[in-house]
Amino acid sequence: MDKYIGNKKAILEGIEKFLIAKNIESGLFIDVFSGTTNVGQYFKQRGYSIISNDINDFSYVFGKVYIQNNEFPKYTNIIKEIMEKGFIIDENEIETSTEYIKNKLDGEKIFSNGYFEKVKYGSNVRPLLIVLQYLNSLSIEDLSPEELLFYNYYTVYGVNSAYKSSRGTEGKRNYFTADNAKKIGRIIETIKRWYLSSLISEMEFYILLCALIEEVTLNANVNGTFHDFNRSKLFPNALTPLKLKPMMLNISENAIADYCICKEDSNKLFKEENFNALINKYKESVLYIDPPYNFRQYSAYYHMLNFIAIYHTIDNPIEYANGFNYVRGQNMKNNFNSQYCYKDKFIDALEDLITNIKSKHIVISYYDENNHWNHGKKVISMDGRKEIVNMFSRIENIATYDEEAFTIPRVNYQSRSGEHKKQIDELIFYARR
Ligand SMILES: C[S@@+](CC[C@H](N)C(=O)[O-])C[C@H]1O[C@@H](n2cnc3c(N)ncnc32)[C@H](O)[C@@H]1O
């Protein structure tokens, strides 16, 4: 997933160069605000063990699939069942999809050159491609009320999609075309049924769920986040028929690496069983901190993806959907307000986090613009930077820290089409125990 606020894909090599300059080349990488998991994925490919944590449910699915999983799924039982029912594999499509993966991997900085051949991607991915092909071929006729949930609650054609905003504007939610919403409903109910009846394993299930989440991110009629949708029309991406695509599975050659996936408030993570013991096992451990640094609450901005991620755990999805609230249609039972999104709590939360997680190295990602200290300001102040460095000086057991942040330049794309480009500096703060 690349469309995510604060996604660090653009600076992965910069983070690696920074670590190498600090003589860190292996060990445990603790990604406490993992979001897309792109940073953890990058270091998984470079042989690190990974702890991946984020409070968002969809990020947990990504963690399971891209970090914890280290093999290609076999789908033995479900393939046997669908073949017995007469499903005919379209071999041309399998070939096209394999070619799609090869091309995508070639331009993908997480993986090094030759990854496709090294892990025998072409032959190993076949079972996944068959199952995705089957799911894409499902009919959208005769849907159950649950299968119609996305249609009814999240499209303008639905009977339950009306909203009234706090300013009094009224309308209907416009996240998907009718057909795409029906497809989502049929696919999610199908994979839930397969999983609950043990036709597929937990990881096989998460891989399909991940494919659906990735596709919804690309297909939904939104401008980046699910805090709102385009009210008046459907964007071209939303008009494209929804089709699950194979994701880029991340297989590491390090057979003895630890991969631990959590869905916890980062400040409570250290209480997880054996957490600090795992850290102590490693000579080099890096706590990588990439928190939200302004008021935007990720839980509200990505509620749709979180709903899809927990759908299989909801006994009565329609009752749950009746609790959808606000213009965006989020059930507030599944909401998390992060303390990192409040200026007056941000530094205290960071200090508490670093104090409790006893890693050897501490690396913080930060950005001068649009943060708590500079939001909406034309002249950018260094106040946020100073607060972070001062914080290091207060924490016990910190042996040394950099007074100045390391800068990684990158291009910022400020619009959908990327026409407003701007050079900005991503910052890295460093401390060591
Ligand atoms: C800047 S984003 C991280 C982006 C990530 N590094 C990437 O490359 O995709 C911040 C993340 O922190 C998560 N988050 C916010 N508060 C949290 C908390 N208290 N505990 C755990 N995760 C939290 C959000 O869900 C969001 O994914």
Side-chain angles (χ1 to χ4, degrees), residues 374-405:
N374 287 326
H375 191 72
K377 290 194 184 157
K378 285 214 170 91
V379 181
I380 301 299
S381 84
M382 300 288 145
D383 292 354
R385 296 189 186 206
K386 284 186 210 141
E387 293 269 2
I388 292 175
V389 174
N390 284 343
M391 173 199 64
F392 281 149
S393 70
R394 290 194 297 269
I395 299 177
E396 264 186 46
N397 294 337
I398 294 270
T400 171
Y401 57 89
D402 291 351
E403 295 275 354
E404 291 295 324

Side-chain angles (χ1 to χ4, degrees), residues 4 6 8 33-36 54-56 264-266 290 292 298 338:
Y4 193 59
K8 294 296 175 291
F33 299 95
S34 58
T36 60
D54 197 289
I55 197 70
N56 267 325
E264 190 52 272
D265 179 339
S266 56
D290 183 21
Y298 281 79
S338 174

Side-chain angles (χ1 to χ4, degrees), residues 54-91:
D54 197 289
I55 197 70
N56 267 325
D57 304 289
F58 83 86
S59 181
Y60 180 77
V61 175
F62 284 4
K64 295 291 273 186
V65 172
Y66 293 126
I67 305 286
Q68 185 183 327
N69 177 59
N70 209 33
E71 59 187 28
F72 287 90
K74 301 217 167 36
Y75 292 112
T76 316
N77 293 340
I78 192 63
I79 291 181
K80 185 163 173 273
E81 172 156 321
I82 61 182
M83 298 307 281
E84 276 170 10
K85 282 191 180 155
F87 179 64
I88 296 168
I89 300 168
D90 177 345
E91 291 296 342

Side-chain angles (χ1 to χ4, degrees), residues 279-324:
I279 295 180
N280 289 334
K281 192 177 142 187
Y282 288 86
K283 189 165 158 264
E284 306 295 342
S285 51
V286 179
L287 172 63
Y288 175 66
I289 305 177
D290 183 21
Y293 14 73
N294 60 34
F295 64 91
R296 291 197 179 86
Q297 292 285 0
Y298 281 79
S299 183
Y301 275 63
Y302 296 95
H303 66 93
M304 172 82 75
L305 306 182
N306 287 339
F307 174 50
I308 294 173
I310 60 162
Y311 187 90
H312 62 289
T313 66
I314 302 172
D315 287 340
N316 186 338
I318 295 189
E319 195 181 287
Y320 185 89
N322 285 335
F324 285 168

Side-chain angles (χ1 to χ4, degrees), residues 195-221:
Y195 173 52
L196 296 183
S197 61
S198 302
L199 262 173
I200 52 178
S201 69
E202 184 190 58
M203 194 56 86
E204 287 175 333
F205 167 73
Y206 274 125
I207 288 171
L208 299 177
L209 193 58
C210 177
L212 181 61
I213 293 171
E214 292 273 19
E215 184 57 24
V216 165
T217 312
L218 298 176
N219 188 272
N221 187 36

